[in-house]
Amino acid sequence: MKCLLFGLLLCCFTAVAQVNIIPQPVSVKLSGTNGKFTLRPDTQIIVEGSGLENSINFFNSYLKAYYGFALETASVPKGNNNLTLNFERMDDSIPGAYYLSVDKKGIYIAGDNETGVFYAIQSLIQLLPMAAGGKQLSIPYVEISDRPRFAYRGLMLDVGRHMMPVPFIKKFIDYLAMHKMNEFHWHLTEDQGWRIEIKKYPRLTEVGAWRDGTVIGKRPWKGNDNIRYGGFYTQDQVREIVAYASKRYITVIPEIEMPGHGSAAIAAYPWLSCFPNEKTNIPDSLLSEEGRKTNGKLVYEKWGVAEDVFCAGNDSVFEFLQNVIDEIIPLFPSQYIHVGGDECPKTNWKRCPQCQKRIRDLGLKDEHELQSYFIQRMEKYINSKGKTLIGWDEILEGGLAPNAVVMSWRGEKGGIEAAKQKHTVIMTPTTYVYLDYSQAKHEDSLVIGGYLPLEKVYQYEPIPPVLSADDGRYILGAQANIWTEYMTSPSKVEYMIFPRVDALSEVLWSPKSAKNWMDFKKRLPYQFERYNLWATHYFSDSSEYDTR
Ligand code: ACM
Ligand code: ZN
């Protein structure tokens, strides 16, 4: 008995010392022999099945980038040092289950499907030594069985406030893949910038993608930097990014905001506003010099919510948005189209004759019902194209569109309500997954505010206990949101999201019963070593970030 206990302890100790995978797999069994397989430049990849090019290419690119070699692929082994890729039915409802074994016979991977093989490769990458440039990569003998807990494992990136270059978007997608996440919610339009080329409306990017300056510092801000800022993604770049993501089994969900957060579009086409002739409301003290010279619409130059929103009483506005959606749909194979729906001030609608006429004509109760009408009308259109609408939880107000998916951000309340109404829900509550909040108590860099330490993200449980088992099934998963008011560069984005994305990946992938904060913390330093290898920025208790 004592001996068995000692054996168990040793096995656990060895596990800690040798296998440090994030997110924690369902089952990890070390052989107990301390044996190791050596992956080397002449190791062959043996492919027993089709459709595995994505996994092979990903692995070879990784080996090439960090160790300087790539492996050859064959269907019949030449020698006895092989990495075998295969399929085995595991009948999991969520794609991505896999089995990975490393022993003296070699490395054997079986995925339930292509995605499973891809995730096995991600685990294999985490078994490789950290030192760059090695040609004899020893990997411990181990047996791993694994499968995802949630179907939706996402990150949202706001490129409206700050534009991120295409190579970084690809890197960001790689980060998702390496954390076994599968949904990239791309927040493409904002008050402060419209970031996607729409051929029918060229002014959206000629005008709407550029602001003449940005407020300095934190609310109530210290003037305007007067630096023209902007950029956008061409449709060719979007196609390139979507294809890149798809090779990593990641869906790109586009978000086109309406009826609020539309200042940039309104600057391009003022007739989208209830009051086309009114100047955008920004106090002079916060406005750029260029902005002070005009009497018209402006791409928003300060943070916060603009009052100028799309007019809900003007049919041409709907026609415009439908035409935009017509160009969006062929670019994004995603089943979901996100239309925002959050933070739409009702001030303009209250004094707009066209909006008020719409309320009267349709017998609506108030402007909240007008917002509901707006979203429902867009939903009908999106559904008619075979797609499903997602909106932030404000779309519950005034009545939920019949088939809409709800993203619950103002806490979990909206998600709970939507699940009770039998709507699919994606949880993104500020309290647990807003990665623009500070990771450090003392705000070690310029951030929007709030405090969200790593442990709080780790402790998040996406299915609220108040839901019945039946209603809990409507929670598809969760997503962290990355709003970029105070993230002006890719390195700041990385610094803000890591290692909180590690914690979230474990929330979304690992079985609830396998979650263990102390164990996660023990694995984290190995992940930091990997981030060092990748030259990725991250927060750790000792790090400080340049605040300028
Ligand atoms: C949001 O944070 N306004 C969705
Ligand atoms: Zn109006």
PDB file of all heavy atoms in Angstrom, residues 273-274 310-314 348-349 352-356, ligand 2:
ATOM      1  N   SER A 273     -28.028  59.289 -40.191  1.00  0.00           N
ATOM      2  CA  SER A 273     -28.393  59.845 -38.882  1.00  0.00           C
ATOM      3  C   SER A 273     -29.825  60.390 -38.911  1.00  0.00           C
ATOM      4  O   SER A 273     -30.355  60.748 -39.966  1.00  0.00           O
ATOM      5  CB  SER A 273     -27.407  60.980 -38.568  1.00  0.00           C
ATOM      6  OG  SER A 273     -27.915  61.829 -37.574  1.00  0.00           O
ATOM      7  N   CYS A 274     -30.429  60.504 -37.729  1.00  0.00           N
ATOM      8  CA  CYS A 274     -31.741  61.169 -37.633  1.00  0.00           C
ATOM      9  C   CYS A 274     -31.613  62.647 -38.006  1.00  0.00           C
ATOM     10  O   CYS A 274     -32.563  63.253 -38.479  1.00  0.00           O
ATOM     11  CB  CYS A 274     -32.275  61.076 -36.201  1.00  0.00           C
ATOM     12  SG  CYS A 274     -32.705  59.406 -35.691  1.00  0.00           S
ATOM     13  N   PHE A 310     -27.971  55.301 -35.946  1.00  0.00           N
ATOM     14  CA  PHE A 310     -28.716  55.121 -37.200  1.00  0.00           C
ATOM     15  C   PHE A 310     -30.204  55.423 -36.958  1.00  0.00           C
ATOM     16  O   PHE A 310     -30.781  54.995 -35.953  1.00  0.00           O
ATOM     17  CB  PHE A 310     -28.578  53.686 -37.715  1.00  0.00           C
ATOM     18  CG  PHE A 310     -27.168  53.311 -38.113  1.00  0.00           C
ATOM     19  CD1 PHE A 310     -26.671  52.040 -37.844  1.00  0.00           C
ATOM     20  CD2 PHE A 310     -26.328  54.214 -38.765  1.00  0.00           C
ATOM     21  CE1 PHE A 310     -25.373  51.677 -38.208  1.00  0.00           C
ATOM     22  CE2 PHE A 310     -25.024  53.865 -39.138  1.00  0.00           C
ATOM     23  CZ  PHE A 310     -24.558  52.596 -38.851  1.00  0.00           C
ATOM     24  N   CYS A 311     -30.802  56.125 -37.917  1.00  0.00           N
ATOM     25  CA  CYS A 311     -32.221  56.469 -37.796  1.00  0.00           C
ATOM     26  C   CYS A 311     -33.072  55.219 -38.020  1.00  0.00           C
ATOM     27  O   CYS A 311     -32.916  54.517 -39.029  1.00  0.00           O
ATOM     28  CB  CYS A 311     -32.581  57.544 -38.828  1.00  0.00           C
ATOM     29  SG  CYS A 311     -34.320  57.999 -38.734  1.00  0.00           S
ATOM     30  N   ALA A 312     -33.962  54.962 -37.063  1.00  0.00           N
ATOM     31  CA  ALA A 312     -34.807  53.759 -37.158  1.00  0.00           C
ATOM     32  C   ALA A 312     -36.103  54.031 -37.919  1.00  0.00           C
ATOM     33  O   ALA A 312     -36.903  53.114 -38.144  1.00  0.00           O
ATOM     34  CB  ALA A 312     -35.116  53.245 -35.755  1.00  0.00           C
ATOM     35  N   GLY A 313     -36.293  55.308 -38.304  1.00  0.00           N
ATOM     36  CA  GLY A 313     -37.536  55.643 -39.007  1.00  0.00           C
ATOM     37  C   GLY A 313     -37.344  55.777 -40.511  1.00  0.00           C
ATOM     38  O   GLY A 313     -38.303  56.032 -41.238  1.00  0.00           O
ATOM     39  N   ASN A 314     -36.094  55.606 -40.970  1.00  0.00           N
ATOM     40  CA  ASN A 314     -35.774  55.852 -42.364  1.00  0.00           C
ATOM     41  C   ASN A 314     -35.474  54.529 -43.076  1.00  0.00           C
ATOM     42  O   ASN A 314     -34.472  53.871 -42.787  1.00  0.00           O
ATOM     43  CB  ASN A 314     -34.542  56.788 -42.396  1.00  0.00           C
ATOM     44  CG  ASN A 314     -34.084  57.100 -43.801  1.00  0.00           C
ATOM     45  OD1 ASN A 314     -34.582  56.540 -44.778  1.00  0.00           O
ATOM     46  ND2 ASN A 314     -33.119  57.997 -43.902  1.00  0.00           N
ATOM     47  N   ASN A 348     -31.650  60.771 -29.716  1.00  0.00           N
ATOM     48  CA  ASN A 348     -32.027  61.256 -31.046  1.00  0.00           C
ATOM     49  C   ASN A 348     -33.373  60.691 -31.498  1.00  0.00           C
ATOM     50  O   ASN A 348     -34.192  61.398 -32.083  1.00  0.00           O
ATOM     51  CB  ASN A 348     -30.944  60.917 -32.072  1.00  0.00           C
ATOM     52  CG  ASN A 348     -29.790  61.904 -32.008  1.00  0.00           C
ATOM     53  OD1 ASN A 348     -29.738  62.752 -31.112  1.00  0.00           O
ATOM     54  ND2 ASN A 348     -28.854  61.792 -32.936  1.00  0.00           N
ATOM     55  N   TRP A 349     -33.602  59.430 -31.242  1.00  0.00           N
ATOM     56  CA  TRP A 349     -34.865  58.796 -31.639  1.00  0.00           C
ATOM     57  C   TRP A 349     -36.060  59.503 -30.984  1.00  0.00           C
ATOM     58  O   TRP A 349     -37.115  59.609 -31.586  1.00  0.00           O
ATOM     59  CB  TRP A 349     -34.881  57.310 -31.240  1.00  0.00           C
ATOM     60  CG  TRP A 349     -33.966  56.435 -32.069  1.00  0.00           C
ATOM     61  CD1 TRP A 349     -33.158  56.832 -33.098  1.00  0.00           C
ATOM     62  CD2 TRP A 349     -33.780  55.023 -31.939  1.00  0.00           C
ATOM     63  NE1 TRP A 349     -32.474  55.761 -33.606  1.00  0.00           N
ATOM     64  CE2 TRP A 349     -32.831  54.633 -32.912  1.00  0.00           C
ATOM     65  CE3 TRP A 349     -34.314  54.047 -31.094  1.00  0.00           C
ATOM     66  CZ2 TRP A 349     -32.418  53.301 -33.068  1.00  0.00           C
ATOM     67  CZ3 TRP A 349     -33.895  52.728 -31.253  1.00  0.00           C
ATOM     68  CH2 TRP A 349     -32.967  52.364 -32.225  1.00  0.00           C
ATOM     69  N   CYS A 352     -36.692  62.632 -33.060  1.00  0.00           N
ATOM     70  CA  CYS A 352     -36.688  62.491 -34.528  1.00  0.00           C
ATOM     71  C   CYS A 352     -38.107  62.236 -35.034  1.00  0.00           C
ATOM     72  O   CYS A 352     -38.740  61.244 -34.655  1.00  0.00           O
ATOM     73  CB  CYS A 352     -35.774  61.336 -34.919  1.00  0.00           C
ATOM     74  SG  CYS A 352     -35.949  60.847 -36.637  1.00  0.00           S
ATOM     75  N   PRO A 353     -38.632  63.103 -35.917  1.00  0.00           N
ATOM     76  CA  PRO A 353     -39.991  62.912 -36.416  1.00  0.00           C
ATOM     77  C   PRO A 353     -40.182  61.567 -37.127  1.00  0.00           C
ATOM     78  O   PRO A 353     -41.210  60.915 -36.966  1.00  0.00           O
ATOM     79  CB  PRO A 353     -40.194  64.069 -37.409  1.00  0.00           C
ATOM     80  CG  PRO A 353     -39.110  65.068 -37.088  1.00  0.00           C
ATOM     81  CD  PRO A 353     -37.994  64.325 -36.436  1.00  0.00           C
ATOM     82  N   GLN A 354     -39.159  61.121 -37.867  1.00  0.00           N
ATOM     83  CA  GLN A 354     -39.308  59.843 -38.587  1.00  0.00           C
ATOM     84  C   GLN A 354     -39.353  58.663 -37.617  1.00  0.00           C
ATOM     85  O   GLN A 354     -40.142  57.736 -37.801  1.00  0.00           O
ATOM     86  CB  GLN A 354     -38.141  59.648 -39.552  1.00  0.00           C
ATOM     87  CG  GLN A 354     -38.268  60.450 -40.839  1.00  0.00           C
ATOM     88  CD  GLN A 354     -37.041  60.229 -41.717  1.00  0.00           C
ATOM     89  OE1 GLN A 354     -35.977  60.761 -41.418  1.00  0.00           O
ATOM     90  NE2 GLN A 354     -37.191  59.454 -42.760  1.00  0.00           N
ATOM     91  N   CYS A 355     -38.501  58.711 -36.597  1.00  0.00           N
ATOM     92  CA  CYS A 355     -38.500  57.623 -35.605  1.00  0.00           C
ATOM     93  C   CYS A 355     -39.824  57.614 -34.840  1.00  0.00           C
ATOM     94  O   CYS A 355     -40.408  56.557 -34.577  1.00  0.00           O
ATOM     95  CB  CYS A 355     -37.330  57.774 -34.632  1.00  0.00           C
ATOM     96  SG  CYS A 355     -35.751  57.303 -35.358  1.00  0.00           S
ATOM     97  N   GLN A 356     -40.293  58.800 -34.490  1.00  0.00           N
ATOM     98  CA  GLN A 356     -41.555  58.882 -33.744  1.00  0.00           C
ATOM     99  C   GLN A 356     -42.727  58.408 -34.599  1.00  0.00           C
ATOM    100  O   GLN A 356     -43.653  57.754 -34.110  1.00  0.00           O
ATOM    101  CB  GLN A 356     -41.777  60.317 -33.231  1.00  0.00           C
ATOM    102  CG  GLN A 356     -40.816  60.705 -32.109  1.00  0.00           C
ATOM    103  CD  GLN A 356     -40.846  59.720 -30.932  1.00  0.00           C
ATOM    104  OE1 GLN A 356     -41.919  59.356 -30.441  1.00  0.00           O
ATOM    105  NE2 GLN A 356     -39.677  59.256 -30.500  1.00  0.00           N
TER     106      GLN A 356
HETATM  107 ZN    ZN B   2     -34.694  58.885 -36.628  1.00  0.00          ZN
END
